[in-house]
Amino acid sequence: MRLSTYFLPTLKEDPAEAQVVSHRLMLRAGMIRQHAAGIYNWLPLGLRVLRRVEWIVREEQNAAGAQEILMPTVQSADLWRESGRYEDYGKEMLRLTDRHGRAMLYSPTHEESVTNIFRQNIKSYRDLPRMFYQIHWKFRDEVRPRFGVMRGREFLMKDNYSFDLDYAGARRAYNRMFVAYLRTFSRMGLRAVPMRADAGPMGGDMSHEFIILAATGESSVFFHRALLEKNPPLNIDYTSNLQQIVNEWMSLYAATDEKHDPQATVVTALGNDLIAARGIEVGHIFYFGRKYSDPMRAMVVGPDGDLVPVEMGSYGIGISRLVAAIIEASHDEAGIIWPAAVAPFRVGLINLKGGDTAIDAGCDALYEMLCRARVEVLYDDRHERVGTKFADMDLIGLPWQVIVGPKSLARGVIELKNRATGAREELSPEALMERLRAKD
Ligand code: 5CA
């Protein structure tokens, strides 16, 4: 992509409305623009990151045995009356009336719709277990939308719903998502800690939030120091029950504010190993048994011929929030530092002397080579001051910068800068291609 024609409205100054670094940098790097309070436009650079995050989430959901579907955002109120949540949800639910005077709503979550799909189509325990997920926009009329896409009113979520015959099955589903989440966040370069949490409006008996530690986080959390060193499991056999892996994590104390009990013996015994911190909730998983299947009569015929309500859970990941959370976890004074897996482009190619025939030709050749090798590259071919080019490239935070100027070109070498470490080296074009083709 050539920057001269790319829509990248970067800002030099910090926007006054942004209180946290991720919001500031997303606005300054031309990733998003506000449409209304808590509602955002995603511009090309931001959308590329959003799609990358979405794709990692999707791959891990598929690997864990979930199947992707897509449900409507605008729904009829009837299903929500069946579950009792039409009244319970209160002012956070955006309510609409269609031209026939029917009550509709913009869905804040999809337990009711997916339960409806299930009960209409699945009748026997032989068709269990099932896991359906979607990646779709939600609307919650939050009292205080803030921090950009971190707490929006409209936001992109991955929401998954599991259906099982009994508690043991539901527990296996919960474990599968627990492990899939550890893998998902780690692939994005994040360390997310699972913490016991309150189930809130989703309801249910067991719930974990996945939290990324950050001073600006809205959640207050308490956990065992050892969790900071724990790495996600590498090779997962999703056909096993995964209980051992999950136990390893759950045996270490970790709780959000609502679940934390400072007087509990497990907590006082921790002494200096107890860490109190702030964090960002990027995922939340719930086991709620028959909370929806009972009132909505989502039943299957069990092995002995009786009708049994299914056991359910739901599992969310805040995809748009993650984009901001990654920035909170990975930036410096100059701008964003994208982990390679979610970077909008892998390489930024900087032409230090746009308009100089030899340099332009050298850069064009490199650009062609990178494109042919399928290395995603953003080529700064603008006729801008060098200082502006460097500042913009640092701001948008691509993992690698390839810098081409008269001096290095005369010597037949190209400068390569690593955005994260700042390390610079000079390489031949062949060595450069080799390096940029590599995995990280
Ligand atoms: N139905 C369940 C799980 S499928 C559910 O809705 N869970 S949730 O309410 O916890 O939301 C799931 C995730 O969405 C949260 O962990 C959070 O990362 C993200 N999220 C929730 N509210 C917002 C918001 N206002 N702005 C951005 N992301 C949000």
Side-chain angles (χ1 to χ4, degrees):
M1 184 59 68
R2 285 176 184 264
L3 194 44
S4 56
T5 54
Y6 195 53
F7 180 43
L8 185 71
T10 55
L11 307 173
K12 284 209 176 56
E13 306 299 330
D14 278 340
E17 74 266 30
Q19 297 160 30
V20 293
V21 68
S22 56
H23 188 196
R24 263 199 308 272
L25 288 174
M26 287 182 81
L27 290 168
R28 285 196 50 211
M31 294 175 65
I32 53 166
R33 287 292 181 264
Q34 190 179 46
H35 169 89
I39 305 179
Y40 287 86
N41 298 294
W42 288 79
L43 308 189
L45 193 81
L47 185 60
R48 285 178 83 101
V49 181
L50 191 71
R51 293 286 180 245
R52 283 268 142 87
V53 170
E54 191 180 311
W55 195 255
I56 293 175
V57 171
R58 180 175 283 122
E59 280 185 349
E60 293 298 328
Q61 290 295 298
N62 293 344
Q67 293 176 39
E68 189 169 4
I69 60 173
L70 197 57
M71 294 178 273
T73 49
V74 176
Q75 307 187 351
S76 137
D78 295 344
L79 282 178
W80 291 73
R81 292 201 175 99
E82 282 188 49
S83 74
R85 280 207 295 184
Y86 189 60
E87 276 70 39
D88 291 355
Y89 226 99
K91 288 193 164 174
E92 270 200 14
M93 181 184 275
L94 180 65
R95 293 155 206 266
L96 319 158
T97 309
D98 74 7
R99 63 162 73 195
H100 306 291
R102 286 190 207 106
M104 310 287 287
L105 57 98
Y106 195 109
S107 192
T109 175
H110 282 74
E111 279 79 5
E112 285 77 358
S113 351
V114 78
T115 305
N116 189 41
I117 294 175
F118 182 91
R119 70 178 176 187
Q120 288 174 340
N121 296 284
I122 297 184
K123 307 286 182 197
S124 161
Y125 78 97
R126 288 198 189 84
D127 297 323
L128 299 180
R130 290 283 175 187
M131 261 190 179
F132 301 126
Y133 78 99
Q134 64 171 354
I135 294 177
H136 214 2
W137 295 93
K138 304 280 186 274
F139 195 93
R140 292 182 188 170
D141 208 349
E142 302 264 352
V143 203
R144 217 175 305 116
R146 56 184 182 159
F147 304 158
V149 297
M150 191 83 87
R151 178 165 298 279
R153 292 199 293 165
E154 189 190 46
F155 58 96
L156 189 59
M157 192 199 286
K158 182 284 297 178
D159 42 326
N160 182 346
Y161 306 86
S162 66
F163 301 88
D164 284 273
L165 181 62
D166 51 22
Y167 175 75
R171 192 57 211 259
R172 273 197 297 278
Y174 194 88
N175 290 353
R176 274 197 277 161
M177 281 300 113
F178 192 101
V179 171
Y181 277 31
L182 293 173
R183 292 170 53 86
T184 302
F185 299 125
S186 136
R187 279 183 63 185
M188 296 170 194
L190 296 170
R191 183 181 290 278
V193 185
M195 315 232 177
R196 282 202 309 123
D198 204 47
M202 301 310 143
D205 312 326
M206 181 167 57
S207 145
H208 282 84
E209 285 181 14
F210 285 72
I211 303 271
I212 287 166
L213 300 179
T216 48
E218 292 183 288
S219 312
S220 165
V221 294
F222 303 85
F223 61 95
H224 194 302
R225 186 180 302 281
L227 280 164
L228 289 175
E229 260 88 64
K230 270 196 89 56
N231 290 315
L234 288 176
N235 296 314
I236 298 299
D237 172 10
Y238 279 111
T239 60
S240 70
N241 71 17
L242 304 172
Q243 197 60 51
Q244 201 187 332
I245 299 174
V246 170
N247 286 350
E248 267 176 43
W249 288 80
M250 288 192 189
S251 62
L252 292 166
Y253 184 82
T256 61
D257 215 5
E258 299 84 10
K259 284 281 174 191
H260 179 58
D261 175 5
Q263 311 313 337
T265 340
V266 277
V267 176
T268 50
L270 283 179
N272 283 341
D273 281 334
L274 180 71
I275 297 186
R278 301 198 69 79
I280 303 167
E281 177 204 325
V282 288
H284 199 162
I285 60 177
F286 306 82
Y287 159 71
F288 44 67
R290 300 174 172 183
K291 177 174 170 172
Y292 301 90
S293 55
D294 262 338
M296 295 184 67
R297 301 191 60 74
M299 327 259 270
V300 291
V301 178
D304 40 19
D306 299 335
L307 270 180
V308 267
V310 285
E311 288 275 323
M312 291 176 59
S314 76
Y315 316 89
I317 290 184
I319 304 230
S320 45
R321 174 179 288 183
L322 263 170
V323 176
I326 294 168
I327 297 175
E328 290 290 334
S330 186
H331 66 270
D332 62 15
E333 316 75 64
I336 304 167
I337 302 174
W338 289 116
V342 295
F345 296 90
R346 182 165 168 72
V347 183
L349 171 60
I350 306 178
N351 180 336
L352 288 185
K353 214 172 171 197
D356 177 304
T357 324
I359 310 286
D360 284 352
C363 279
D364 287 354
L366 258 179
Y367 178 63
E368 292 304 324
M369 264 160 68
L370 287 164
C371 291
R372 265 204 307 278
R374 294 185 183 279
V375 177
E376 287 182 311
V377 51
L378 183 62
Y379 172 20
D380 192 348
D381 60 339
R382 297 173 303 171
H383 292 190
E384 279 286 352
R385 287 189 314 111
V386 170
T388 305
K389 292 191 174 191
F390 283 146
D392 276 350
M393 210 47 100
D394 278 352
L395 172 65
I396 67 171
L398 309 182
W400 297 101
Q401 296 176 12
V402 170
I403 303 161
V404 182
K407 285 192 203 127
S408 49
L409 203 65
R411 287 187 290 120
V413 293
I414 294 152
E415 191 178 343
L416 179 67
K417 177 180 145 185
N418 180 304
R419 174 67 181 87
T421 64
R424 293 165 186 269
E425 56 190 315
E426 289 189 332
L427 297 168
S428 68
E430 296 73 32
L432 179 84
M433 291 303 296
E434 207 45 45
R435 174 72 59 85
L436 294 178
R437 265 203 216 102
K439 275 272 167 262
D440 47 36

